[in-house]
Amino acid sequence: MKIFGIDLSIIIIAVITAYIGYQFNHRAKKREVFLKELSNSYNEVYFPMFELLSVINKTEDKNRKLELTDSFMEEYSGTNSKIRFIGSTFILEYFYKLREAFFTYKNEINRTNERELLEKVKGLYLSIEDEYWNAHDIIYEDYKQFVSDTFNNPFFVVLANIFRIFYHLSVFILWISALVLYFTISHLIIPIEWVPEWWSIGFALLSLLLAIVVFGFMLMFKEMVMKRNRRESKVVKNLKEKIKRLF
């Protein structure tokens, strides 16, 4: 089948290629904007807020803890507050709940309001701690890789770059295989003229399975070869602490 003298299969391939290119370009631009905003949030609010909340959380004296809370709320309240740089809607909403609890405590100082305020402060600390480290890991994700590429043997650096190309190629093939399976299923429902007679759902499933296997191997080697700058997970950290306490 031809449209304006051009084979339909060529038109479909061109449309799919253009769509995939658009998606990759769109995602790359969104990631660039995201990293810029995240870096701003990290520098302007996550780091300084995490430092202040860490001091409050570690302070044992209750009166001193309340004094530090006063300073913290004074720092992050008002029209000039930098809480507008908080990316997480959940944390931003939680901060406003903390501020409401703070004003309630100030209007009526009693043990109930005091306990509610301190619990909210601790909750915000836990949330900001996760947000701070997550932002750090994302911004400096390739730190170890760049250091390794700088000081490593150039031959191994070239091999690693070639491997990255093959990894991204395996991802592309996986998506194409899934797309081919989709068109094959569509062909079973509404026959498509340009699909060869010998092609079947079995070939489509086999192609997808092979693509998944290749992607799995590439993903495994990626984890072995590529260096990621990640902090130790809380699960592993807690497990180590439990083992130390036992022995």
Side-chain angles (χ1 to χ4, degrees):
M1 182 178 178
K2 293 185 177 182
I3 299 177
F4 299 112
I6 303 174
D7 196 332
L8 180 60
S9 59
I10 296 176
I11 295 175
I12 292 174
I13 292 173
V15 170
I16 292 173
T17 303
Y19 176 76
I20 293 173
Y22 168 77
Q23 288 295 327
F24 273 103
N25 188 46
H26 182 64
R27 286 176 64 86
K29 287 183 178 179
K30 287 187 71 174
R31 178 173 174 78
E32 184 180 347
V33 172
F34 168 73
L35 287 175
K36 182 180 178 181
E37 294 294 334
L38 184 64
S39 297
N40 196 30
S41 299
Y42 176 82
N43 292 317
E44 294 293 336
V45 64
Y46 294 154
F47 173 71
M49 184 177 279
F50 173 67
E51 288 294 315
L52 290 173
L53 287 171
S54 295
V55 174
I56 295 173
N57 187 60
K58 291 176 182 178
T59 302
E60 297 292 338
D61 183 72
K62 188 173 65 176
N63 292 328
R64 179 58 181 163
K65 188 186 288 282
L66 290 170
E67 289 176 6
L68 291 171
T69 302
D70 281 350
S71 300
F72 175 81
M73 295 308 301
E74 183 179 351
E75 174 73 20
Y76 290 100
S77 295
T79 55
N80 294 324
S81 172
K82 292 184 178 180
I83 60 167
R84 63 186 182 276
F85 294 115
I86 294 178
S88 169
T89 303
F90 171 80
I91 296 178
L92 185 60
E93 186 179 22
Y94 190 92
F95 175 83
Y96 285 120
K97 291 179 181 178
L98 166 61
R99 192 172 68 175
E100 184 178 346
F102 175 74
F103 289 146
T104 300
Y105 168 74
K106 282 298 184 179
N107 290 331
E108 187 178 352
I109 299 177
N110 56 52
R111 290 186 178 180
T112 301
N113 292 339
E114 177 187 288
R115 184 169 60 253
E116 177 70 17
L117 172 62
L118 293 179
E119 286 178 357
K120 284 281 192 298
V121 170
K122 185 176 182 180
L124 182 64
Y125 165 72
L126 295 174
S127 297
I128 287 294
E129 181 184 27
D130 283 339
E131 195 76 2
Y132 165 74
W133 285 113
N134 288 337
H136 184 278
D137 287 349
I138 293 171
I139 294 170
Y140 296 102
E141 178 182 7
D142 296 322
Y143 171 79
K144 283 188 176 181
Q145 190 65 56
F146 286 142
V147 171
S148 176
D149 290 348
T150 301
F151 297 102
N152 213 346
N153 188 312
F155 175 73
F156 292 114
V157 174
V158 172
L159 285 180
N161 289 329
I162 294 173
F163 170 78
R164 290 191 192 99
I165 293 172
F166 279 106
Y167 168 75
H168 289 295
L169 181 62
S170 71
V171 175
F172 177 75
I173 292 174
L174 179 62
W175 281 107
I176 290 296
S177 300
L179 198 62
V180 168
L181 178 61
Y182 169 78
F183 277 111
T184 303
I185 295 172
S186 300
H187 175 65
L188 294 176
I189 301 171
I190 304 175
I192 303 173
E193 293 184 7
W194 52 268
V195 176
E197 292 184 3
W198 55 268
W199 186 259
S200 65
I201 188 70
F203 284 113
L205 288 171
L206 182 62
S207 299
L208 181 61
L209 181 61
L210 289 174
I212 292 173
V213 171
V214 171
F215 172 74
F217 275 110
M218 297 304 292
L219 185 62
M220 180 179 67
F221 283 115
K222 176 190 173 187
E223 294 300 321
M224 293 171 57
V225 174
M226 294 186 180
K227 301 180 183 297
R228 292 191 176 277
N229 190 30
R230 287 284 187 268
R231 70 187 186 280
E232 191 175 51
S233 69
K234 287 185 177 180
V235 176
V236 175
K237 193 180 294 184
N238 292 334
L239 183 61
K240 285 183 178 179
E241 289 178 357
K242 288 180 180 179
I243 293 173
K244 284 181 180 179
R245 285 197 293 268
L246 287 174
F247 297 97

